[in-house]
Every structure is written in structure tokens, then in C-alpha cells.
Amino acid sequence: MRENIATNTIDRPMFKIVETDLGRYNMHEIYQRKSAAYKLIKRGMDVLLSAVALIVLSPVFLVTAVAIKCEDRGPVFFVQPRAGKDMKPFSMYKFRSMYVNADEKLKEMMKDNEQTGHAFKIKNDPRITRTGRFIRRFSIDELPQLINIMKGDMSIVGPRPILTFQMEACSQYERQRLAVQPGLTCYWQIGGRANVTWEEWVELDLDYIEDMGLWTDLKMIVKTVPAVFRGDGAY
């Protein structure tokens, strides 16, 4: 990992945020150089761990589904188009944490966006339900993405996918973050989430592509557990 030269850092021993390096336009090439053995093991680990997690966490799925239904009788799951590897769109699954038809209000709320760049985050988003605030606090809303991982849309570790139209508005440099499969957890996920600016987020994703390997992925998975319970930037 490169030296930390940014003023706004995430205090984690595993990585450091750096300034945008416009010379890093070779992420696809870097990924292609990763060994075939690593890619095969990564996919096998994705399938195995996701299958185990779906079984072990099935009580959490059940309780969450009941809570969502009891609050407003709306659908339990929320399906949304996200940009996948090489900008290929896919349908990402989440537990619904917002009121029904919340997406229709997105454009009018963009003026209140508290995140920089192409992502959208509002700390006190009025569209979020009471149940939604709880499941977002502990990232329970993201658990259905284990199904996306089983399907091959995502990996356990990789850049977090954002909305397709937001990714389409990104520069060529920023789009490089999707030279690899998007993931459930990443440097951004364990390092502050919404507290990280978009520019730093992109750099962290490019750092991951450079660093990615079996040991990096295993460390990331282990570090995700305490990060979820801390809830830094989770809203």
C-alpha cells in the first residue's frame, strides 16, 4: 500500500487513503495479472461462505422480514439496478429499509445530498422507516446480497456497487473501480462508509484492486464484523 499523503485519513491499520493519482489508469491490466488460481479460489470461497451464511443467518432473515411487514405491510425485499463488473448492470437485493416508492423522491432530494461525487447519502433521510434505521445501523439490510454472490453478480470482497445511472455519470478514471466484481465488503465498508468522501472512496477501491489476493480478502472479511457493530458511517 502506498504512503499516506492525504489530510483526511481513516485510522485503520490495514490501509491508508491517498490523494487521487490520475496516473492510475491500468486497473483492468492489474486485475488481468491476478493468478487464475486466486480467482478460482475467490469464487469458491464466495459460494461456500455465502451458502453457510444464508443457513446460519436464516433466523435473522425471518425476524427482519416479519419486522418490515409489521411496520407498513409493504414488500420485504427491495430490488434495485446497480452497476456490476465492467459496468454490466444487475439487480441487487436488499431488505427494504425505506417507505414504499421512496425511489420516486430521490431526484428531488439530490439537492440535500451530504456525500460528495456520484454517491447519495443523507444522515437523517426521511424516507427510512424505523425498522430500516435499525437494520441499516448493523448492515442487516445488505444480507440478501448473499444471494447476489451465489448468483455470481457480486463477490464477498470488492468495491461496493452504486446505482447504474450514478456510475454511468462517472469519469473513465472512476469507472475503473468496477474492473473487478463488486462486493459486500471493502476498504470503504470497514473504514467509515458514509464518513468517507467519494474521491477517497474511489481511491480505496483502486487500492483494493492493486492489493487483492487471498490474504487481503480474508483480512477484510474478519475486519468487517467489528466494523458492522461499530456502525461508523452507517445510515
Side-chain angles (χ1 to χ4, degrees):
M1 198 42 91
R2 295 159 298 154
E3 288 298 316
N4 175 21
I5 54 176
T7 55
N8 181 14
T9 63
I10 295 174
D11 185 17
R12 297 289 182 273
M14 196 174 155
F15 66 92
K16 302 171 184 178
I17 293 178
V18 300
E19 293 176 342
T20 299
D21 177 0
L22 296 180
R24 291 209 288 178
Y25 275 99
N26 60 341
M27 292 299 116
H28 285 85
E29 179 183 341
I30 287 174
Y31 177 66
Q32 289 301 320
R33 291 204 299 263
K34 303 294 179 180
S35 73
Y38 162 65
K39 294 174 184 177
L40 184 62
I41 293 172
K42 182 178 177 69
R43 177 58 187 156
M45 187 169 65
D46 284 344
V47 173
L48 177 61
L49 294 182
S50 295
V52 171
L54 283 168
I55 294 170
V56 172
L57 296 174
S58 56
V60 177
F61 274 71
L62 178 60
V63 171
T64 303
V66 170
I68 292 172
K69 271 293 182 183
C70 287
E71 180 160 1
D72 65 4
R73 306 295 179 183
V76 170
F77 296 105
F78 177 66
V79 183
Q80 193 175 51
R82 297 290 175 110
K85 185 179 183 300
D86 297 324
M87 294 293 294
K88 181 181 178 181
F90 71 97
S91 297
M92 192 180 82
Y93 309 125
K94 300 183 73 171
F95 278 121
R96 182 173 60 85
S97 61
M98 294 185 175
Y99 292 106
V100 177
N101 300 325
D103 260 4
E104 297 175 4
K105 299 180 180 180
L106 179 58
K107 288 187 178 180
E108 65 184 68
M109 295 183 66
M110 288 299 290
K111 65 181 185 302
D112 300 317
N113 189 13
E114 297 172 3
Q115 178 59 279
T116 60
H118 300 283
F120 177 82
K121 285 287 184 180
I122 296 179
K123 190 168 186 177
N124 295 307
D125 194 325
R127 300 173 300 163
I128 301 176
T129 63
R130 286 177 298 175
T131 300
R133 294 197 182 282
F134 179 83
I135 63 176
R136 281 183 170 221
R137 170 66 175 76
F138 295 103
S139 296
I140 296 171
D141 61 318
E142 311 286 0
L143 291 181
Q145 287 154 48
L146 291 167
I147 300 172
N148 285 118
I149 296 171
M150 293 288 290
K151 290 174 60 180
D153 299 325
M154 297 173 60
S155 177
I156 293 177
V157 182
R160 287 294 296 159
I162 63 174
L163 289 165
T164 302
F165 79 88
Q166 291 174 326
M167 204 65 216
E168 288 173 345
C170 289
S171 67
Q172 180 185 354
Y173 180 81
E174 294 166 329
R175 289 187 183 194
Q176 289 188 111
R177 62 190 295 273
L178 292 182
V180 301
Q181 209 81 355
L184 186 64
T185 188
C186 58
Y187 286 156
W188 173 84
Q189 186 82 6
I190 66 173
R193 288 180 273 189
N195 295 331
V196 180
T197 68
W198 168 252
E199 293 77 16
E200 293 167 335
W201 183 351
V202 170
E203 293 304 310
L204 288 173
D205 288 337
L206 301 189
D207 283 343
Y208 169 69
I209 296 172
E210 293 180 338
D211 297 344
M212 66 187 300
L214 186 58
W215 182 235
T216 298
D217 290 349
L218 290 173
K219 286 194 295 183
M220 195 93 68
I221 292 170
V222 170
K223 285 178 175 286
T224 296
V225 177
V228 165
F229 283 101
R230 284 196 306 271
D232 296 338
Y235 54 81

